[in-house]
Amino acid sequence: VQLQASGGGVVQAGGSLRLSCAASGRRFSSYFMGWFRQTPGKEREFVAAISFSGGNTYYVDSAKGRFTISRDNVKNTVYLQMDSLKPEDTALYYCAARTTSSVLTSLRARSTPSSYDVWGQGTQVTVSS
């Protein structure tokens, strides 16, 4: 499977962006999907994740109420709608897939980069103040 992220850009504080991550392959609906972000010199940070059917979503506290993760299993795409953006949201955003069948049973597991085995190339989000 391959992941292709897009939708990043430059936006003023308070603005919105929608990131997309298109996946190849026929088993997308069986992949647990996540979004992470990273700034220079820092570790990759969990942002949001979504279950196979989209029925369960998970967020880092700083994203709750502002970001929405969703997926379209027909289009093999996962989205991250980001509203009320802040300068501290500036980062390179990555989408990731967990293609193994075992279930992640804790938020800690869902938010750990090593729980995901396929990564996209990243899309830059810059929020100006």
Side-chain angles (χ1 to χ4, degrees), residues 62-82:
S62 61
K64 290 178 181 177
R66 300 189 301 124
F67 294 4
T68 303
I69 188 171
S70 61
R71 67 190 296 163
D72 185 331
N73 285 343
V74 174
K75 295 182 178 179
N76 281 12
T77 302
V78 63
Y79 304 97
L80 185 67
Q81 176 67 41
M82 303 187 295

Side-chain angles (χ1 to χ4, degrees), residues 29-116:
S29 61
S30 66
Y31 301 155
F32 189 90
M33 299 296 297
W35 285 97
F36 289 76
R37 63 189 179 187
Q38 190 169 23
T39 54
K42 294 189 177 181
E43 293 185 352
R44 197 162 293 189
E45 176 192 31
F46 170 76
V47 177
I50 189 166
S51 61
F52 312 127
S53 66
N56 293 297
T57 56
Y58 312 91
Y59 299 93
V60 67
D61 285 347
S62 61
K64 290 178 181 177
R66 300 189 301 124
F67 294 4
T68 303
I69 188 171
S70 61
R71 67 190 296 163
D72 185 331
N73 285 343
V74 174
K75 295 182 178 179
N76 281 12
T77 302
V78 63
Y79 304 97
L80 185 67
Q81 176 67 41
M82 303 187 295
D83 299 318
S84 302
L85 282 162
K86 304 175 181 180
E88 51 264 42
D89 295 318
T90 296
L92 188 61
Y93 282 71
Y94 296 90
C95 60
R98 177 177 174 84
T99 63
T100 61
S101 59
S102 58
V103 176
L104 298 172
T105 58
S106 69
L107 179 58
R108 180 172 183 175
R110 299 179 191 114
S111 62
T112 299
S114 61
S115 295
Y116 301 79

